[in-house]
Amino acid sequence: MIKLKTPEDVDAMRPACRLAADTLLMIEPYIRPGITTNKINQLVHDYTLAHGGIPAPLNYQGFPKSVCTSVNHVVCHGIPSDKKILNGDIINIDVTTILNGWHGDTSRTFFVGDVKPFVKKLVNISQQCLELAIAKVKPGVTLGDIGHTIQRFAESHRYSVVREYCGHGIGREFHEDPQVLHYGKRGQGKALQEGMVFTIEPMINIGRPAVKKLRDQWTVVTRDKSLSAQFEHTIAVTATGTEILTLPSHQGAT
Ligand code: MF3
Ligand code: CO
Ligand code: CO
């Protein structure tokens, strides 16, 4: 069951979404070779609390930390640890913030130091997958249209789309209906309507699409150890198109 949001609900979600986006912006200058993912976790945790929010991942279905940090071939749900990130790595930081009972969910993949051109290309194409999908969103367009847009663009660059994890409705709950698949066929699936609020968060691999979960029950990696990148926004379907809710309060460097 999709819980449609009223304009007042969307107004109420904006601060949560903006705080999540501001948290990603805050963290950007810290993404340098030598920082541990635990330190990133601590910075996200402290910033969230200092702004009146709650980090949604902490204790969510037993997740032990306040943010997901997914390095290189980790697809998603990486658990912060005392491991350092290194020059040439890529790291997805996935921030989900609860503020006044509403959730905002956004992630970016960052470059650590100097990253090889073929890796940069993966990251840039992954970001474009999200942007192209968002540009399609308006009432009447189907979920299949969204998934197809992502799949077609990723595969045109000979990348693959992860199937096991998807975008999701979001609001008072972290994960609501509908599931937003990042692959699909034009015209299939539910039609979008005004008041839907959901994430789009494609995970794009250089190699094969298959993934596996590690024994920690969280960390998802590519089976072939190829690199994976991801970007995520929380968006609202409006009467005429879409509003990206997870934009930072001050638009600075990207
Ligand atoms: N933020 C992730 C998403 O985009 C979910 C993380 S669940 C957690 O849906 F428990 F690992 F935080
Ligand atoms: Co999400
Ligand atoms: Co997320």
Side-chain angles (χ1 to χ4, degrees), residues 94-96 105-107 168 174-175 199 201 230 232:
D94 191 340
V95 173
T96 313
D105 190 6
T106 183
S107 85
H168 49 90
F174 195 157
H175 295 106
T199 72
E201 48 182 297
Q230 179 180 27
E232 174 176 26

